[in-house]
Amino acid sequence: MTPSSRPSARLRVAVSLALAQSLLWAGPVFAQTDSERIAELERLVRQLSDKVNELSQAKPAAPVDAGATAATAPADPAAAARIEALERSVTQLTESAGKPQTNVGVPLHGFADVGYTHSQAPAADDRKGGFTMGNLDLFLTPELSERVKMLAEVVIEYGADGTIGTDVERMQLGYTVNDALTLWGGRFHTPYGYWSTAFHHGAQIQTSLMRPRFIDFEDKGGVLPAHTVGIWGTGRTSAGDGKVTYDVFVGNGGRVVDGTLDFQPVRDSNGNKSLGGKLGYEFSGSLAGLALGVHGNAQTVDVYTGGAHTGSDKFRYYGGYGVYDTDDWEVLTEYYRFKDQDNLGGSGSHSSWAGFAQAGRRLDGGWTPYLRYEKASLDQTDPYFFALASGGSYTRTSLGLRYDLTPRSALKLEVNRTDEKRIDSSYNEVRAQFSVRF
Amino acid sequence: MMRKTKLISLLAVFSALAGPLSAAADVYVVANAGVNLSGGEVRDVFVGEKQLAGAVKLVPVDNASAHAEFLSKVVKLDAGKYEALWTKKSFREGLNAPAAKGGDAEVLAVVKSTPGAVGYLSAPPPAGVKLIQKF
């Protein structure tokens, strides 16, 4: 090997090693997406450029064999030209992929579930069980500007009578004032406890198959207005090592029409608006995953039976909630104390309560067994609970097993026993569900 | 000279083998030139807790080629929990998960061209973007 041929030899070694390097990385490159391959190619281009530069700098200044130089000289321009061409391609591809992140369309998300139910609960049509279609829940979260946003949620579901229904569950227009305050207007999930705003129609993201009955939807046995139409301020801010969370809302109060709670999406039947909120604290450090809070609400609820105004109740509740959500455990509890005042019938004030506690243990392999106990002790002389078809006292114990098939799909099996005080009946239910999110 | 060539070859082989590992070691969080952000605020940006830096709306951008390192070092979540977190954030608060880009070049292009953009790279950033912190 002559001195003059050394740079050429070095170049061959370096290029060979660079190729070897690219071969070593070939597996991941071919296993990746186009954009990831672009990134890898860029990295290779940089390495090749560095090596070429390194060799160019290492070339001896003199003496130089003219013949050898002539033989090696074309190698550098050729490599440089190829590198330049490759760089151009990469730049063009990345520029086309790297457009500003604005107006990127409307993100669409959703939940869906199907299942099987067998219930011994008394039913007017005597149907006891069978396969069921759950919800098809679609929600959109367009960002309309830097601070204006929207959340729209539509649920399509079959009712117990087999008719299909479409409901605009949420239609919120929001304005981000700052990191600690977002204002929403429209129809939203009433912020009480934890479950209402955390899970609502998202069957796949709630551990259990069913909701606690007393906080179920208005047309499915719930005794609280699960939705409100009005204005809602919500946010969180750092306090100590954790965060304070808060919600304040004002909206149309509810009414009871022929046994069903109506949250009145269009205008209010009386001048007293629903006023409520909650205040919580999310812990951090050794208590990370723990959140505690209090909530309350007051509104005047009118009762209508067969089109006649038959009652009016000053409906108030207050209470608290606790959540412990970690990799291993999920523990949820909510408590509501009702203090109602009969405005029309003169039966005075009434006191009731309802609550639940649920614990789930997250095991390896995606299994989560869980247990829930819920109880509602509702004063039947209270015009509000008396008027609600689902306003009777009850207890229910549920035992379930969840299996996360994938991060976006879950299988659940749940058995429960319910004791209904109003109709003096006890019954068992078995439910299975396959739920997904997308 | 032969010894030197061998040494260079050995170093090159070592760098070839160690390349992917060393590339995975550091994560460089960068932002559009107009963004004022501290390293301690980066996690909040990527979990939807911080949406504004002053009057500027923040636009977090994920980088597939450094995602695992970033989640491990900065967000302290695995990929599954990160995705689940954003599903809940989206459903509960109407927020959108960070756009996912395939590599450093795409992230750089977005960060340079989008006011409020915050991203992360697997290599030191070139001029034209603001380095927030190396993790």
Side-chain angles (χ1 to χ4, degrees), chain A residues 4-62:
Chain A
S4 59
S5 69
R6 279 171 197 152
S8 175
R10 281 188 200 157
L11 180 64
R12 278 200 298 274
V13 169
V15 170
S16 303
L17 288 169
L19 286 171
Q21 184 167 357
S22 72
L23 287 172
L24 283 168
W25 288 11
V29 168
F30 288 125
Q32 291 163 347
T33 62
D34 286 347
S35 50
E36 286 168 334
R37 292 179 66 193
I38 290 168
E40 295 294 345
L41 282 170
E42 274 198 319
R43 215 171 282 154
L44 288 175
V45 167
R46 255 185 258 126
Q47 286 165 358
L48 283 167
S49 299
D50 290 345
K51 285 190 168 62
V52 168
N53 291 336
E54 188 184 305
L55 290 166
S56 301
Q57 285 164 7
K59 276 183 183 178

Side-chain angles (χ1 to χ4, degrees), chain A residues 33 66 73 98 100 121 159 165 208 213 260 278 308 314 325 337 367 385 429:
Chain A
T33 62
S208 64
R213 195 180 86 175
T260 301
K278 63 178 183 175
K314 182 72 178 172
D325 188 6
R337 188 81 188 175
W367 298 95
F385 292 117
E429 289 179 312

Side-chain angles (χ1 to χ4, degrees), chain B:
Chain B
M1 188 52 72
M2 282 299 286
R3 271 187 194 167
K4 197 174 174 184
T5 305
K6 278 182 184 172
L7 185 62
I8 289 170
S9 304
L10 280 172
L11 285 171
V13 168
F14 179 78
S15 74
L17 291 169
L21 298 177
S22 60
D26 293 324
V27 177
Y28 300 81
V29 175
V30 295
N32 185 270
V35 173
N36 287 317
L37 199 67
S38 71
E41 294 173 316
V42 173
R43 184 184 188 276
D44 279 354
V45 173
F46 280 84
V47 297
E49 299 284 311
K50 184 169 182 60
Q51 301 173 55
L52 298 162
V56 179
K57 173 77 165 66
L58 296 170
V59 184
V61 183
D62 273 326
N63 181 348
S65 68
H67 196 49
E69 293 78 20
F70 178 74
L71 291 184
S72 168
K73 287 186 165 186
V74 183
V75 184
K76 314 288 185 194
L77 289 173
D78 64 32
K81 289 192 177 72
Y82 183 65
E83 197 220 332
L85 177 147
W86 272 108
T87 295
K88 291 171 184 172
K89 276 276 173 189
S90 184
F91 182 66
R92 296 169 186 174
E93 300 174 32
L95 300 176
N96 292 308
K101 295 296 170 188
D104 288 0
E106 282 186 58
V107 171
L108 271 172
V110 170
V111 170
K112 276 182 186 172
S113 62
T114 308
V118 184
Y120 49 91
L121 308 170
S122 59
V129 295
K130 183 185 285 186
L131 175 65
I132 302 298
Q133 188 172 321
K134 183 177 103 171
F135 290 91

Side-chain angles (χ1 to χ4, degrees), chain A residues 130-152:
Chain A
F131 292 98
T132 58
M133 272 190 63
N135 295 315
L136 173 59
D137 180 306
L138 303 171
F139 66 100
L140 307 165
T141 53
E143 289 183 22
L144 306 173
S145 78
E146 287 195 347
R147 291 177 188 254
V148 179
K149 58 186 179 179
M150 179 179 176
L151 199 164

Side-chain angles (χ1 to χ4, degrees), chain A residues 69-306:
Chain A
T69 305
T72 56
D76 282 345
R82 288 172 63 188
I83 290 166
E84 198 180 326
L86 188 54
E87 279 182 327
R88 261 202 310 275
S89 302
V90 169
T91 303
Q92 285 165 1
L93 284 167
T94 52
E95 279 178 355
S96 67
K99 289 175 181 167
Q101 291 301 293
T102 53
N103 301 321
V104 289
V106 180
L108 173 67
H109 315 276
F111 299 97
D113 63 274
V114 296
Y116 186 89
T117 298
H118 183 82
S119 174
Q120 296 174 337
D125 57 9
D126 250 1
R127 288 187 295 175
K128 294 294 183 189
F131 292 98
T132 58
M133 272 190 63
N135 295 315
L136 173 59
D137 180 306
L138 303 171
F139 66 100
L140 307 165
T141 53
E143 289 183 22
L144 306 173
S145 78
E146 287 195 347
R147 291 177 188 254
V148 179
K149 58 186 179 179
M150 179 179 176
L151 199 164
E153 182 182 14
V154 176
V155 171
I156 303 163
E157 62 182 337
Y158 279 98
D161 59 356
T163 57
I164 196 162
T166 305
D167 204 355
V168 179
E169 282 292 324
R170 285 186 289 176
M171 208 292 286
Q172 304 170 207
L173 297 179
Y175 183 82
T176 306
V177 178
N178 53 45
D179 283 329
L181 173 63
T182 297
L183 292 172
W184 292 100
R187 174 176 170 167
F188 48 86
H189 294 159
T190 310
Y192 49 69
Y194 178 75
W195 202 294
S196 179
T197 49
F199 304 132
H200 218 88
H201 278 288
Q204 196 272 339
I205 56 173
Q206 72 184 34
T207 297
S208 64
L209 193 153
M210 293 179 71
R211 296 162 66 97
R213 195 180 86 175
F214 70 91
I215 57 165
D216 209 334
F217 309 114
E218 295 91 342
D219 57 349
K220 292 189 175 174
V223 299
L224 294 162
H227 304 88
T228 299
V229 173
I231 299 167
W232 171 30
T234 181
R236 69 186 67 213
T237 189
S238 297
D241 291 334
K243 288 193 173 173
V244 169
T245 62
Y246 70 91
D247 300 86
V248 181
F249 69 93
V250 59
N252 292 342
R255 63 176 180 168
V256 179
V257 180
D258 296 330
T260 301
L261 184 56
D262 170 19
F263 65 93
Q264 302 197 97
V266 182
R267 295 189 291 189
D268 202 338
S269 62
N270 59 58
N272 292 303
K273 297 291 173 259
S274 172
L275 180 64
K278 63 178 183 175
L279 181 67
Y281 189 78
E282 295 175 349
F283 292 82
S284 66
S286 60
L287 291 174
L290 177 65
L292 299 172
V294 293
H295 54 206
N297 176 237
Q299 57 183 287
T300 296
V301 178
D302 292 318
V303 178
Y304 295 86
T305 308

